[in-house]
Amino acid sequence: MPDTATDIDRIMDPDAVAVVGASTDETKRGYQAIETLQEGGYEGDIYPVNPSADEIRGLDVYSTVSAIPGRVDLALIVTPAKIVPQILEDCADTDLAGAVVIAVGFGEAGEQGEALEDEIVSLAREHGVRLIGPNTSGMINVHQGLNLVGADTVPEGNLALLCQSGNMAISLFTEAATREGVGFSHYVGVGNEADLQFHEYLSFFDDDPETDAVVCYVEGMSDGRAFLEEAREVTTDTPIVVLKSGRSDVGKRSASSHTGSLAGDAAVTDAVLEQAGVVSVDRSDELLSSASALSSLPSADGKNVAILADGGGHATLAADALSERGLSIPQLTDETQDRLQAVLPDAASVVNPVDVAGGTDEDQSVFVDCAEAIVADPNVDALMLSGLFGGYGIRFAEQYTEVEIEAAHDLAALAEEHGKPLVVQSAYEGFDTEPHAVLREQGIPVVESLDVATASLDALATYGERVAAAGESSDFQLADGPDAAEPISDAVAGGRTQLSEFESKQALAAADLPITPFELATTPDEAREAAASVDGPVAMKVVSPDIVHKSDAGGVALDVSADDAADTYDDLLEAAHEYDPDAQVDGVLVSPMADAGVELIVGVVDDDQFGPVVMCGLGGVFVEVLEDVAFRALPLTEADARALLADIDAQEMLDGARGNPPIDRDAVVDLLVAMSEFVAANPSVSELDLNPVFATEDGVEIVDAAITLDPDGTVRPDSEPALSRGTTDD
Amino acid sequence: MPDTATDIDRIMDPDAVAVVGASTDETKRGYQAIETLQEGGYEGDIYPVNPSADEIRGLDVYSTVSAIPGRVDLALIVTPAKIVPQILEDCADTDLAGAVVIAVGFGEAGEQGEALEDEIVSLAREHGVRLIGPNTSGMINVHQGLNLVGADTVPEGNLALLCQSGNMAISLFTEAATREGVGFSHYVGVGNEADLQFHEYLSFFDDDPETDAVVCYVEGMSDGRAFLEEAREVTTDTPIVVLKSGRSDVGKRSASSHTGSLAGDAAVTDAVLEQAGVVSVDRSDELLSSASALSSLPSADGKNVAILADGGGHATLAADALSERGLSIPQLTDETQDRLQAVLPDAASVVNPVDVAGGTDEDQSVFVDCAEAIVADPNVDALMLSGLFGGYGIRFAEQYTEVEIEAAHDLAALAEEHGKPLVVQSAYEGFDTEPHAVLREQGIPVVESLDVATASLDALATYGERVAAAGESSDFQLADGPDAAEPISDAVAGGRTQLSEFESKQALAAADLPITPFELATTPDEAREAAASVDGPVAMKVVSPDIVHKSDAGGVALDVSADDAADTYDDLLEAAHEYDPDAQVDGVLVSPMADAGVELIVGVVDDDQFGPVVMCGLGGVFVEVLEDVAFRALPLTEADARALLADIDAQEMLDGARGNPPIDRDAVVDLLVAMSEFVAANPSVSELDLNPVFATEDGVEIVDAAITLDPDGTVRPDSEPALSRGTTDD
């Protein structure tokens, strides 16, 4: 390894490994780890470390890491937790790049464990050693034969696995062992993420020639914002597929007791991962197949999938399954339909889904003729072949196997030529037939389950869409500095954390956000004048930094005429004083009644894992009962804002349901982007609540606003700088 | 076979089979069918039929079916479509019970095919022959060795398969061939259902000692109502699992071009199958595993599932997957937690999900100790064991295999003893280990996918719930006879199909349905008087049999005071005449303004497959944008009505969202049952639309109503009487 190798390269691809806690007892991990390295074909140096042994499996044993004569890249520490600090102390003057800490009893195990974890992290930083774990099953470099886990069989392949559960890793290894063509380049058990975190491995995998896709099983990320930043860069070349657990309330509790991580809100996680170009799956049985398809196939340019089936049942079920996942089954062009009809029997269905209706029973090369017509169709982005292909030699007559092998070559060539992904679902997947082997050699996935095939096509379409969008998406960089808006800096100076509606609106209006006009009246006369200057009735709301819930305090009056405005002023103040005799009341806000329209709520919330996140949804029952809200991480680009709006379920409400005209989406997008810029310009803002916002065909208006401050800026996740890497020196 | 065998028994379990279209050409179906019967070990008589051959595979050939000397139970007809009528003509004087018609070119193939299908059905009925198909891949009695399909391998087992796609059947056969412990007793390709229909096989399977569950793949049923009736009886002893395709728009079109069947509305199908106690699955990869679990395990008494995992990842993912499907992960009792803590290490999680945290690494009998505590817990209805069980001998040390085998026996015995279902998810499922074989022998499913394990548990809980409920559910018998309500019989006599709001309300009020009080005013003075007699403002609506959409015609006025009622009367009549100068106007309906509350819509619609079906949902955006409506087949029992209400998604709206009190569910249930009785008493009613209905904490009120009639009663599906069977004579 050249001297320019960075820490992460040395850790992931080490030339020399120390096993600390090595043992002469064959039943101990400290013995087995060395055995596994030797038998796995690891060609680097292996240094057993144990103060009281001389030789293990033919290797000299060293009393400490610092006693090892050569340079050591990585230490596998298999000792109990309490000895780990002393081992790290000993590494002070070594050139050790990293250590894998297997022991449990750290952050996941209560206060004492947390203290021990803090201790080893600070020792490691002091001595320039990066840590994998603790509470990890280890790491594996499959192509190097470096197995620090002891899992018996890890099938070799092109997927890198970042995993927060050792048993999930074993599950994925065994799943791959029973699936032809699926395997791994690397495995890292990230454990408690005490030092090295999820995101810090991504760019290594991006540059790794053995890795074509990254698979992540995540319970909770300690720095989700950094993951988004890295993922956005990496995913353009190397697809990232995430299975995030802890989606349910019980699952969250379970994740927290497992790795001590906060699982966060599943809807937020899905949305921000989408924004970064990451593909999420929510079933564990779709994780490997989706990643494998992404690793070997071009992504789909769109969601239009053609189905080629040798039976009406598969055609129908495939159409259902693809539709259910939001993919489209487009009409084929007249030309394509003519070409299909020319090679298929009359009974065939040549619209999409295509059912060959027996047309391939005697000659399976007809599949190729059909596929040729279909993949050339401009309406088609991807093809699913569903039914019995690869099994005709078993099902009908042996001589068909040769025909199918030829057809398999031709199908793979066609898909390659047109750059359109092909996924094959076959009832005969479990029979390991030759035609399937040919397809797999060319990178075409063959799966038994129609639903798994559908999930793979969904992943290919989603990835295509996300990679295209991620280029226009936010870079997730948060600004810092002084607050730009006066009401905010004043409040911060005054030690306040809550702005009144008046102050909030002042700050937003100064940044040109579209607020319903408002005037602060401090006397009944001023209220009357303000109301008279407005065309039509007004809304009046009491202004007090001490009254957050104005309606509860009787502090709101709607549809007030100019004549009644002065009396209403008095009524509102009286109600406010009755509600809270000590409240400081600054006056009454007078605004024209807003144009009703579609009621939206817009806000910024502070997510534990991903920092400031925009929420936008429909008001009323949509938010209160249906929780139909969408999320994106700040800052927002225009493309992000548009994607966010498109994530709201009840799109009909935006497009003009119930006799209304469609709302002005551009105006909502402008508001979201302006709000993002406002938050960026005012780092003390921790929460923003615009509720309601009315959207009509003519524009958008913020009717109520509340800003919450956190002058300490805890909303900004303190992100560690990513490991420097590449050709710069170490 | 005794003489008392009925037709369906003779068809499904024949002593003698004729192969019509038998051939001496080894490449023809007419040869292979005989070969398959002989090689499959079928012990009944086989009679080849062919006018121009003497001997095939050592058997005498007969020129016609009528020329066969012995009694023939079943004929397999493999000739082209156009010869089938002549074959059936020949059977006029035979005692043939049934015929399997393989040919295509019937109902699925346009007008000419439909005519041919009608012809063979009428010939078959005339001659007392029941038909399977046409357009079927055939039928199989696996235990009898009777294979009329020619599928190479059909694993023997306890599932009966009714399937509307030959290739789906092949898929399920091959899937079973690669899954230990899953197999079939019977297969019937129902094809076009021209004569024998889905429901007619059910009670045979119910009585069949080889069959423990029925699996159906359905594109569309020609008599869904009869299926509901039969299924409700059968499912109590023999679970029925249905995969219904054609759920999406494209899928519907595809199903229709495949078997010519109408796929219908997926939401209606799901609801009425639930009502009949049938378990539906919507993924093809969950069909067999769910049916298999139901065939070998007791159903769960409730939705409370305990998870016992040997890793935090599996524990968390299982909790997510179960929650996602609506199952519960209950708290374990303190006693159970204490028992678990006593056998598990400190790091274990003894709440549900239980994570043994390494506690089984050295001794897998600890799984039994844990399971013993868990299945005894009264909070637990079912147990999922998730992780690596059965693979410890592979993963850790060979000697563990013996321990696991012992544990497998003990786990199965525990589940049996407590009558609670146990499903095992194991990463090592694909390795066919001995402990897994032991579990399967005791009927415990072992699956690789966490999601499939979850689906099986869902099926067990759903089945338990549905069988319990199906006993209280409707028997799906529709009344017939004269209409009970005068306005309806008058309208029928007058040849009208649409009742006015006034007539509709009269009819419903006479049947004691809760209608907002209403009075018909035919002059301005009457309108004033009617309004004055009401406390508060009134709603006024023009009454005309020619104006269905009153609002569009400007025929509705709300919140009218008694003083304004006379003028409003004139305005409404003027608007109605302007809208339609020829409309017959009967006057104006005057009602008190209804108590707002939760807006519901209630109706009866006529479903193509299942006949009259009740629809109920929330009004406004819930129905218009979200289509949040629920269905049940008529007639409704109180339990059906309650289950229907519980199927509405936005339950919060019924339970008192947004500061409202919960609605009076009993009142809504009473209304639904009364409406069901009303429709039963008036067979001419084809559609009923109660919209809106307002529900409050105090009751329920129908504010608007419209009744549509079909005097020909086409709403009543004309159901064939089911085959008589059992010990009555044939």
Side-chain angles (χ1 to χ4, degrees):
Chain A
M1 179 152 304
D3 262 359
T4 53
T6 61
D7 284 357
I8 191 81
D9 290 330
R10 288 180 58 205
I11 292 168
M12 299 300 290
D13 201 5
D15 285 335
V17 174
V19 178
V20 186
S23 171
T24 53
D25 180 344
E26 294 184 17
T27 69
K28 297 278 193 225
R29 176 80 185 252
Y31 178 91
Q32 290 160 354
I34 292 167
E35 185 181 30
T36 303
L37 282 171
Q38 289 176 325
E39 295 186 351
Y42 176 62
E43 294 184 350
D45 298 320
I46 306 169
Y47 299 108
V49 175
N50 182 328
S52 56
D54 294 328
E55 183 255 304
I56 297 175
R57 291 185 60 89
L59 299 171
D60 288 342
V61 177
Y62 300 86
S63 61
T64 60
V65 175
S66 58
I68 297 171
R71 181 166 103 151
V72 181
D73 297 308
L74 184 65
L76 171 67
I77 303 177
V78 298
T79 67
K82 62 181 192 298
I83 308 178
V84 176
Q86 148 191 352
I87 294 164
L88 291 171
E89 285 282 17
D90 169 61
C91 296
D93 297 321
T94 67
D95 190 20
L96 188 70
V100 180
V101 182
I102 303 290
V104 297
F106 290 94
E108 83 288 359
E111 267 180 47
Q112 237 180 325
E114 278 170 38
L116 191 59
E117 185 165 305
D118 289 347
E119 187 186 353
I120 66 167
V121 169
S122 94
L123 280 169
R125 294 207 171 139
E126 193 180 325
H127 303 322
V129 179
R130 300 304 307 264
L131 299 181
I132 296 180
N135 185 17
T136 171
S137 62
M139 64 86 88
I140 302 175
N141 180 327
V142 183
H143 294 273
Q144 211 188 9
L146 175 89
N147 184 338
L148 301 182
V149 173
D152 295 4
T153 42
V154 181
E156 201 162 313
N158 62 353
L159 305 178
L161 174 62
L162 290 174
C163 197
Q164 213 163 11
S165 154
N167 280 20
M168 254 314 278
I170 293 177
S171 278
L172 295 169
F173 297 154
T174 54
E175 183 186 336
T178 58
R179 303 265 175 286
E180 291 298 321
V182 179
F184 298 92
S185 58
H186 291 268
Y187 161 68
V188 180
V190 298
N192 289 4
E193 279 193 291
D195 178 31
L196 275 169
Q197 297 176 322
F198 271 104
H199 66 277
E200 296 183 87
Y201 304 97
L202 294 181
S203 58
F204 172 82
F205 293 136
D206 194 20
D207 290 346
D208 177 31
E210 311 286 3
T211 298
D212 293 322
V214 181
V215 178
C216 304
Y217 167 74
V218 180
E219 299 194 345
M221 288 184 190
S222 54
D223 189 352
R225 169 72 56 170
F227 187 86
L228 298 181
E229 282 180 31
E230 277 295 310
R232 180 177 177 275
E233 299 298 325
V234 165
T235 194
T236 320
D237 290 323
T238 307
I240 302 171
V241 186
V242 170
L243 171 65
K244 170 76 179 60
S245 75
R247 304 180 69 84
S248 61
D249 289 343
V250 181
K252 267 186 199 135
R253 206 176 61 213
S254 169
S256 149
S257 80
H258 180 216
T259 45
S261 51
L262 286 169
D265 185 279
V268 170
T269 305
D270 288 347
V272 299
L273 289 177
E274 175 181 339
Q275 189 179 2
V278 171
V279 175
S280 308
V281 298
D282 50 12
R283 286 174 62 116
S284 52
D285 63 2
E286 292 172 357
L287 181 59
L288 272 196
S289 49
S290 296
S292 180
L294 285 167
S295 78
S296 67
L297 289 176
S299 60
D301 287 341
K303 288 181 169 296
N304 297 309
V305 180
I307 299 161
L308 174 58
D310 48 7
H314 286 109
T316 303
L317 286 167
D320 284 347
L322 290 163
S323 300
E324 173 71 23
R325 293 188 78 115
L327 295 161
S328 302
I329 325 288
Q331 287 278 345
L332 302 175
T333 63
D334 291 343
E335 191 197 330
T336 306
Q337 295 192 35
D338 291 344
R339 288 177 66 182
L340 290 168
Q341 198 62 77
V343 296
L344 290 175
D346 287 350
S349 165
V350 297
V351 298
N352 192 9
V354 175
D355 170 13
V356 302
T360 54
D361 283 3
E362 309 283 317
D363 178 5
Q364 297 77 44
S365 76
V366 171
F367 280 121
V368 182
D369 300 334
C370 294
E372 194 162 14
I374 293 169
V375 295
D377 191 311
N379 295 350
V380 172
D381 299 317
L383 174 61
M384 180 198 285
L385 178 61
S386 173
L388 312 179
F389 185 82
Y392 281 74
I394 296 176
R395 173 76 182 79
F396 294 103
E398 221 170 288
Q399 72 266 23
Y400 292 152
T401 298
E402 284 308 311
V403 185
E404 288 189 291
I405 289 173
E406 186 70 30
H409 280 292
D410 293 346
L411 287 168
L414 267 175
E416 164 110 35
E417 182 192 330
H418 290 269
K420 294 182 180 177
L422 163 66
V423 173
V424 176
Q425 180 276 327
S426 172
Y428 290 90
E429 190 271 338
F431 292 74
D432 284 337
T433 71
E434 275 186 79
H436 292 167
V438 169
L439 287 169
R440 288 187 175 120
E441 275 157 29
Q442 320 276 325
I444 309 290
V446 182
V447 299
E448 181 187 11
S449 156
L450 197 53
D451 304 289
V452 170
T454 300
S456 297
L457 283 161
D458 189 12
L460 290 160
T462 303
Y463 179 64
E465 192 177 63
R466 290 191 182 177
V467 166
E472 294 177 62
S473 175
S474 133
D475 61 4
F476 306 107
Q477 301 287 345
L478 296 172
D480 215 336
D483 293 307
E486 231 169 78
I488 293 174
S489 45
D490 287 357
V492 170
R496 287 193 294 131
T497 58
Q498 185 67 51
L499 265 57
S500 72
E501 178 181 349
F502 178 61
E503 290 168 314
S504 300
K505 285 183 166 177
Q506 274 187 310
L508 292 164
D512 282 334
L513 272 90
I515 313 258
T516 307
F518 60 97
E519 204 165 318
L520 182 67
T522 56
T523 66
D525 276 350
E526 281 180 18
R528 182 171 13 86
E529 280 164 32
S533 73
V534 166
D535 203 15
V538 295
M540 294 175 65
K541 295 187 268 187
V542 79
V543 175
S544 162
D546 302 317
I547 300 179
V548 178
H549 301 291
K550 297 178 287 275
S551 293
D552 294 353
V556 178
L558 299 179
D559 268 319
V560 182
S561 69
D563 291 346
D564 294 338
D567 287 348
T568 302
Y569 182 97
D570 289 332
D571 293 346
L572 292 174
L573 255 65
E574 195 180 315
H577 283 129
E578 202 164 304
Y579 180 76
D580 178 0
D582 300 327
Q584 167 199 328
V585 176
D586 299 333
V588 168
L589 213 57
V590 180
S591 291
M593 290 298 294
D595 263 1
V598 176
E599 186 183 336
L600 300 176
I601 64 162
V602 177
V604 172
V605 293
D606 180 15
D607 186 78
D608 284 334
Q609 294 181 81
F610 298 105
V613 164
V614 176
M615 179 202 66
C616 174
L618 291 154
V621 294
F622 289 96
V623 59
E624 289 170 33
V625 176
L626 303 166
E627 298 180 17
D628 182 6
V629 291
F631 300 91
R632 284 295 181 279
L634 279 181
L636 287 188
T637 64
E638 198 187 301
D640 290 332
R642 234 169 257 291
L644 182 156
L645 269 190
D647 266 3
I648 293 174
D649 286 335
Q651 286 292 307
E652 299 93 321
M653 290 297 291
L654 308 180
D655 291 339
R658 318 190 78 202
N660 296 320
I663 66 161
D664 180 351
R665 275 182 194 249
D666 291 341
V668 182
V669 166
D670 290 347
L671 177 146
L672 290 168
V673 172
M675 187 189 67
S676 170
E677 284 165 2
F678 174 82
V679 175
N682 294 282
S684 300
V685 172
S686 66
E687 277 180 42
L688 184 58
D689 190 16
L690 311 182
N691 180 13
V693 172
F694 285 119
T696 64
E697 60 185 324
D698 300 320
V700 65
E701 254 185 16
I702 299 167
V703 174
D704 199 350
I707 292 174
T708 306
L709 305 175
D710 182 348
D712 300 332
T714 54
V715 67
R716 302 283 182 259
D718 55 352
S719 94
E720 290 293 317
L723 273 173
S724 66
R725 39 184 320 284
T727 52
T728 57
D729 99 36
D730 63 332
Chain B
M1 179 152 301
D3 261 357
T4 53
T6 60
D7 285 356
I8 192 80
D9 290 330
R10 288 180 59 205
I11 292 168
M12 300 300 290
D13 202 4
D15 285 335
V17 173
V19 177
V20 187
S23 172
T24 52
D25 179 345
E26 294 185 14
T27 69
K28 297 279 193 223
R29 177 80 186 257
Y31 178 92
Q32 290 161 355
I34 292 166
E35 187 182 28
T36 303
L37 282 171
Q38 290 177 326
E39 294 187 350
Y42 176 61
E43 293 184 352
D45 297 320
I46 306 170
Y47 298 107
V49 175
N50 181 327
S52 55
D54 294 329
E55 184 256 304
I56 298 173
R57 293 184 59 88
L59 299 171
D60 288 339
V61 177
Y62 299 86
S63 59
T64 59
V65 174
S66 58
I68 297 171
R71 183 167 100 148
V72 181
D73 297 307
L74 183 65
L76 170 67
I77 302 178
V78 299
T79 67
K82 63 178 189 300
I83 306 177
V84 177
Q86 150 191 350
I87 294 164
L88 291 172
E89 284 282 17
D90 170 61
C91 296
D93 296 322
T94 67
D95 190 22
L96 187 70
V100 180
V101 183
I102 303 290
V104 297
F106 290 94
E108 83 288 359
E111 268 180 46
Q112 240 180 322
E114 279 170 35
L116 190 60
E117 186 166 304
D118 288 346
E119 187 187 349
I120 67 166
V121 169
S122 94
L123 280 169
R125 294 206 171 142
E126 194 179 325
H127 303 323
V129 179
R130 301 302 310 261
L131 300 181
I132 297 180
N135 185 17
T136 171
S137 63
M139 65 87 86
I140 303 174
N141 180 326
V142 183
H143 293 273
Q144 208 188 11
L146 176 88
N147 183 338
L148 301 182
V149 172
D152 294 3
T153 41
V154 181
E156 203 164 311
N158 61 353
L159 305 178
L161 174 62
L162 290 174
C163 196
Q164 213 163 12
S165 154
N167 279 21
M168 255 314 278
I170 294 176
S171 279
L172 295 169
F173 296 154
T174 54
E175 183 186 335
T178 57
R179 302 267 174 285
E180 291 298 321
V182 180
F184 298 92
S185 57
H186 290 269
Y187 161 67
V188 180
V190 298
N192 289 4
E193 278 194 292
D195 178 32
L196 275 169
Q197 298 176 322
F198 271 104
H199 66 277
E200 296 183 86
Y201 304 97
L202 294 181
S203 57
F204 171 82
F205 293 135
D206 194 19
D207 288 345
D208 179 32
E210 311 286 3
T211 299
D212 293 323
V214 181
V215 178
C216 304
Y217 167 73
V218 180
E219 299 195 345
M221 287 183 191
S222 53
D223 190 352
R225 168 73 54 168
F227 187 86
L228 299 181
E229 282 180 30
E230 277 294 310
R232 180 177 176 275
E233 299 299 323
V234 166
T235 197
T236 321
D237 290 323
T238 308
I240 302 172
V241 186
V242 170
L243 171 65
K244 171 73 179 63
S245 75
R247 304 179 70 84
S248 62
D249 289 342
V250 181
K252 266 187 199 132
R253 209 175 57 214
S254 170
S256 150
S257 79
H258 180 217
T259 46
S261 52
L262 286 168
D265 185 278
V268 170
T269 305
D270 288 348
V272 299
L273 288 178
E274 175 180 339
Q275 189 179 1
V278 172
V279 175
S280 308
V281 299
D282 51 12
R283 288 175 59 119
S284 52
D285 62 3
E286 292 172 356
L287 182 58
L288 272 196
S289 48
S290 296
S292 180
L294 286 168
S295 77
S296 66
L297 290 176
S299 59
D301 287 340
K303 287 179 171 296
N304 296 310
V305 181
I307 299 162
L308 173 58
D310 48 6
H314 286 110
T316 304
L317 286 168
D320 284 348
L322 290 163
S323 301
E324 172 71 23
R325 292 189 76 116
L327 295 161
S328 303
I329 325 288
Q331 288 277 346
L332 303 175
T333 63
D334 290 345
E335 189 197 332
T336 306
Q337 294 191 36
D338 289 345
R339 287 178 67 182
L340 289 168
Q341 198 62 77
V343 295
L344 291 175
D346 287 350
S349 165
V350 297
V351 298
N352 191 10
V354 175
D355 170 12
V356 303
T360 54
D361 284 2
E362 310 282 319
D363 178 5
Q364 296 77 45
S365 75
V366 171
F367 280 121
V368 182
D369 300 334
C370 294
E372 194 161 13
I374 293 169
V375 295
D377 191 310
N379 295 350
V380 172
D381 299 315
L383 173 61
M384 181 197 283
L385 177 61
S386 174
L388 311 179
F389 184 81
Y392 281 75
I394 296 176
R395 173 76 182 79
F396 295 103
E398 222 169 291
Q399 71 267 24
Y400 293 152
T401 299
E402 284 309 311
V403 184
E404 287 190 293
I405 289 173
E406 187 70 28
H409 280 291
D410 293 346
L411 287 168
L414 267 174
E416 165 110 33
E417 181 192 331
H418 290 268
K420 293 183 181 178
L422 163 66
V423 173
V424 176
Q425 181 276 328
S426 172
Y428 289 91
E429 188 270 338
F431 292 74
D432 285 337
T433 71
E434 274 187 82
H436 291 169
V438 168
L439 287 169
R440 287 189 176 119
E441 275 157 29
Q442 322 275 326
I444 308 292
V446 183
V447 299
E448 181 186 13
S449 157
L450 198 53
D451 304 289
V452 170
T454 301
S456 297
L457 283 160
D458 188 11
L460 290 160
T462 302
Y463 178 64
E465 193 176 61
R466 290 190 182 178
V467 166
E472 293 177 62
S473 173
S474 132
D475 60 4
F476 306 109
Q477 301 286 345
L478 296 171
D480 215 335
D483 293 307
E486 231 171 80
I488 292 175
S489 44
D490 287 356
V492 170
R496 287 192 293 130
T497 58
Q498 185 66 51
L499 264 56
S500 72
E501 178 180 351
F502 179 60
E503 290 169 315
S504 300
K505 285 183 166 176
Q506 274 187 308
L508 292 164
D512 283 333
L513 272 92
I515 312 260
T516 307
F518 59 99
E519 202 166 319
L520 181 68
T522 56
T523 65
D525 276 352
E526 282 180 18
R528 183 168 15 83
E529 281 164 31
S533 73
V534 165
D535 202 16
V538 294
M540 293 175 65
K541 294 188 269 186
V542 76
V543 175
S544 162
D546 303 317
I547 299 177
V548 178
H549 300 291
K550 298 179 286 276
S551 292
D552 294 352
V556 177
L558 299 178
D559 269 320
V560 183
S561 69
D563 292 347
D564 294 338
D567 287 348
T568 302
Y569 182 95
D570 288 333
D571 294 346
L572 291 175
L573 255 65
E574 194 180 316
H577 283 130
E578 203 167 299
Y579 179 74
D580 177 0
D582 300 327
Q584 170 200 326
V585 176
D586 299 335
V588 168
L589 214 58
V590 180
S591 293
M593 291 298 294
D595 263 3
V598 175
E599 186 184 336
L600 301 175
I601 62 162
V602 177
V604 172
V605 293
D606 180 15
D607 186 77
D608 284 334
Q609 295 182 80
F610 299 103
V613 164
V614 177
M615 180 201 68
C616 174
L618 291 155
V621 295
F622 289 97
V623 59
E624 291 169 31
V625 176
L626 304 166
E627 300 180 15
D628 183 5
V629 290
F631 300 91
R632 282 297 180 279
L634 279 182
L636 287 188
T637 63
E638 198 187 300
D640 290 331
R642 233 169 259 290
L644 182 156
L645 268 189
D647 264 4
I648 292 173
D649 285 336
Q651 286 292 309
E652 301 93 320
M653 289 297 292
L654 308 180
D655 291 339
R658 319 190 76 200
N660 297 318
I663 65 161
D664 179 352
R665 275 182 196 249
D666 291 341
V668 181
V669 166
D670 289 347
L671 178 146
L672 290 168
V673 172
M675 187 188 67
S676 171
E677 285 165 1
F678 175 81
V679 174
N682 295 281
S684 300
V685 171
S686 66
E687 279 180 39
L688 184 59
D689 190 17
L690 311 182
N691 179 13
V693 171
F694 285 119
T696 64
E697 60 185 323
D698 300 320
V700 65
E701 252 185 15
I702 299 167
V703 174
D704 199 349
I707 292 175
T708 306
L709 305 174
D710 182 348
D712 301 331
T714 55
V715 65
R716 301 287 181 259
D718 54 353
S719 92
E720 290 293 317
L723 272 175
S724 67
R725 42 183 317 285
T727 52
T728 58
D729 93 37
D730 62 330

